[in-house]
Amino acid sequence: MEPDTQPHPPGKLPLVMLHGFGAGLLQFYKNFDGLHADRWLHAMDLPGFARSSRVPFTPDAEAAEGEYVELIEKWREGMGLDRFILLGHSFGAFLACSYAMKYPSRVRHLVLVDPWGFSIKPAIEGADRGLPLLISTFATRFNPLSPIRAVGPFGPSLMARIRPDLTNIFGEPFMNYVYHCNAQEPSGETAFFHMQIPIGWAKRPMLERIGTQLDPLVPITMVYGLRSWMDSSAGQKVNDLRPFSYVSLYHVRRAGHHVHADQPEEFNDILKEVYSVVDSDQDRTSVDQSTLP
């Protein structure tokens, strides 16, 4: 991908979008037209996913996370971007937050959409006992999407059977796209495997870090689907951990984990509100900087 040499519209910071686990930039296809009218929009395939190169990651949670952050920064440099609104969905939101911790001067506003990896796994013995033994054993030893690759050309139909909800949201052609996003060497998937505690908890949850490691001047908007399986209480906890910072929470009705695709018009309207507060500096002026630690 070559950097776009055309100047951005005056005073309008670009939007950068990071997709979630096992997907690619086209997961935002319902949102592109509505979000780029007055500013540049950049969506990337995260390294190790979709059409990006299968770079190797260190099999360690902290190291792999750091490597992802540096790859995103390298992409930023290559694209010639200075500051931008950074949006991430699910696993992409986890990486976006980590990037903002390391490079806060680059992130004008952080948008976390149904973010993965924020909540702390409960310290309850047998917390995963409700899972069938076969699934529990598989999840601790193998990459999550390895069965899709194992069945070869039957992968797309298997995905459609396993996730009919995604077929309903995105359509059948998208499921074929998702299959091909994940049919290659699973380096990004392997990185995720080492960053999570089966099933689905982060080894390094953001709620343990966001209150102290993210610059308090980085504004945050968090968007959750009310029908999502994700723990939306993490949003209020982020707000509590950042009492002197700008944190805005949205809960979208009739939307699950893929808020942006379930209710694209409402989601786009939320992003336009973010555009408005950024363009007018309301997310800066609403913070009393004299109270910051």
Side-chain angles (χ1 to χ4, degrees), residues 13-36:
L13 291 177
L15 173 68
V16 173
M17 308 178 83
L18 305 181
H19 63 80
F21 172 79
L25 62 86
L26 283 182
Q27 78 164 68
F28 298 114
Y29 79 88
K30 292 185 179 183
N31 312 105
F32 290 150
D33 285 344
L35 294 179
H36 82 289

Side-chain angles (χ1 to χ4, degrees), residues 142-154:
F142 300 98
N143 282 337
L145 298 177
S146 55
I148 302 300
R149 287 181 291 276
V151 297
F154 299 102

Side-chain angles (χ1 to χ4, degrees), residues 2-290:
E2 294 296 325
D4 192 328
T5 57
Q6 299 183 52
H8 294 138
K12 304 290 187 179
L13 291 177
L15 173 68
V16 173
M17 308 178 83
L18 305 181
H19 63 80
F21 172 79
L25 62 86
L26 283 182
Q27 78 164 68
F28 298 114
Y29 79 88
K30 292 185 179 183
N31 312 105
F32 290 150
D33 285 344
L35 294 179
H36 82 289
D38 69 342
R39 70 194 65 229
W40 292 113
L41 184 156
H42 302 268
M44 65 143 82
D45 285 333
L46 285 168
F49 290 106
R51 298 184 67 186
S52 280
S53 57
R54 264 43 184 176
V55 295
F57 290 92
T58 302
D60 171 82
E62 184 173 1
E65 181 183 328
E67 289 162 358
Y68 254 120
V69 167
E70 295 310 316
L71 286 167
I72 294 169
E73 172 62 6
K74 186 176 181 179
W75 173 88
R76 180 202 67 78
E77 292 177 348
M79 295 299 294
L81 300 179
D82 182 20
R83 303 179 73 217
F84 45 87
I85 301 166
L86 180 58
L87 177 150
H89 171 254
S90 194
F91 180 51
F94 180 88
L95 296 178
C97 192
S98 185
Y99 178 87
M101 289 177 178
K102 180 71 180 292
Y103 296 103
S105 65
R106 300 299 181 189
V107 180
R108 176 59 184 79
H109 195 110
L110 183 62
V111 183
L112 306 172
V113 183
D114 228 53
W116 172 86
F118 275 63
S119 297
I120 301 166
K121 183 176 182 179
I124 302 173
E125 185 178 355
D128 296 325
R129 277 185 186 163
L131 295 169
L133 179 60
L134 179 61
I135 294 177
S136 180
T137 302
F138 179 88
T140 60
R141 298 183 181 181
F142 300 98
N143 282 337
L145 298 177
S146 55
I148 302 300
R149 287 181 291 276
V151 297
F154 299 102
S157 59
L158 177 60
M159 289 198 71
R161 288 190 177 187
I162 294 174
R163 296 299 304 271
D165 56 318
L166 295 184
T167 304
N168 293 335
I169 296 169
F170 293 102
E172 289 186 14
F174 183 83
M175 296 307 292
N176 190 54
Y177 161 76
V178 171
Y179 167 73
H180 287 286
C181 283
N182 295 286
Q184 304 173 53
E185 183 69 24
S187 71
E189 187 180 334
T190 300
F192 176 82
F193 177 81
H194 291 294
M195 294 165 69
Q196 57 108 29
I197 304 170
I199 296 175
W201 302 91
K203 288 182 179 177
R204 307 179 69 241
M206 283 298 169
L207 286 181
E208 293 182 343
R209 301 183 273 158
I210 198 169
T212 57
Q213 296 183 28
L214 179 62
D215 189 322
L217 289 177
V218 175
I220 301 176
T221 292
M222 303 184 75
V223 185
Y224 286 95
L226 279 177
R227 295 178 179 175
S228 175
W229 49 268
M230 204 64 75
D231 178 17
S232 62
S233 69
Q236 184 58 50
K237 292 172 184 174
V238 168
N239 187 61
D240 295 342
L241 288 167
R242 297 172 61 80
F244 307 113
S245 304
Y246 180 98
V247 179
S248 181
L249 304 177
Y250 290 88
H251 296 85
V252 180
R253 296 176 183 272
R254 302 180 302 281
H257 182 53
H258 296 86
V259 193
H260 54 285
D262 277 325
Q263 299 296 334
E265 291 187 8
E266 185 171 351
F267 179 82
N268 286 359
D269 286 343
I270 291 171
L271 262 292
K272 290 173 184 176
E273 291 181 27
V274 172
Y275 288 172
S276 178
V277 299
V278 169
D279 293 345
S280 62
D281 267 344
Q282 291 180 43
D283 55 346
R284 294 285 198 179
T285 57
S286 63
V287 176
D288 183 357
Q289 298 190 25
S290 66

